[in-house]
Amino acid sequence: MTPDSATPVALVTGGSQGLGLALTRALAASGWRVVVDARHSDVLDAAVRGLAGVTAVAGDVADPGHRAELAAAVAALGRLDLLVHNASSLGPSPLPTLATHPVDELERIYAVNVLAPLALTQLLLDELRATHGTLITVSSDAAVEAYPGWGGYGSSKAALDQLAAVLAAEHPDLHVYAVDPGDMNTAMHQRAFPGEDISDRPDPQTVVPALLRLVRQELPSGRHRAADLLTAVTA
Ligand SMILES: NC(=O)c1ccc[n+]([C@@H]2O[C@H](COP(=O)([O-])OP(=O)(O)OC[C@H]3O[C@@H](n4cnc5c(N)ncnc54)[C@H](OP(=O)(O)O)[C@@H]3O)[C@@H](O)[C@H]2O)c1
């Protein structure tokens, strides 16, 4: 299919590996045009090489200049149907307790996981509203469960969940979802469990059908667990 102005456009942050790359591959295979980012440009370029309709913009979502570059890449494509805040910072590894969590590391977690998604949403809200589009923030069970060691990252995801909930209330013309993907066999998960064999965790592409249900706007705005969405897919 030759892309034209009617071809849907997505921006997926953190698209060089893990869940973001799996979703990007699925969207590209369905004919979407996709803008992706990641900090390591060599890894990003290698990951999306050969994927039709994918534009790679290397940078850090916490950097305002990079966010402006992402917005410009979307503007060049003429529309925005889907914005996925997937890029995320886990913080120190091994995970520290809150009693010892370095506050500067906490500031970095919040900059990447909370402030950057909101700032990027602010930049792109008009384009997303023009298509009655979909906003997905990638959450975690650590946002709602109190696991020792997960207080920094988990509280940032709780804040991100609340941003999504309020954005949904403020913009009923949009579909706004927070989604908990569940454990996945990825680099981030390995950093959370250093030295452990995590090969029993599901591959991130197994979560993509759950995200695609949200992309199709099958559900009302709100917080969803991928496991529940997948159960409905296979039931
Ligand atoms: N894996 C799990 O078990 C699990 C469980 C619950 C929730 N989640 C959530 O699922 C999402 C995806 O996680 P994942 O496990 O797929 O992670 P991953 O495999 O480690 O991939 C993370 C992606 O984000 C990029 N990234 C990280 N920090 C960035 C930044 N500051 N700016 C731009 N890009 C950045 C990474 O590339 P660079 O390093 O090159 O920047 C990479 O492309 C995250 O929101 C995570 O919190 C994961």
Side-chain angles (χ1 to χ4, degrees), residues 19-20 39 74 79 105 111 115 131 141 145 163 171 182 197 220:
L19 183 60
R39 292 164 300 174
V74 168
R79 60 184 290 153
E105 298 273 12
L115 302 179
T131 63
D141 58 341
E145 303 291 343
L163 290 183
H171 299 283
D197 178 6

Side-chain angles (χ1 to χ4, degrees), residues 29-62:
S30 300
W32 283 64
R33 293 174 290 167
V34 189
V35 177
V36 291
D37 81 344
R39 292 164 300 174
H40 299 88
S41 60
D42 50 344
V43 180
L44 178 63
D45 289 343
V48 304
R49 191 171 298 135
L51 292 182
V54 176
T55 303
V57 182
D60 187 329
V61 289

Side-chain angles (χ1 to χ4, degrees), residues 11 49 62 65 88 93 112 117 184 190 195 197 209 229:
L11 169 55
R49 191 171 298 135
S88 185
S93 171
V112 173
M184 298 175 291
Q190 186 67 74
D197 178 6
L229 299 172

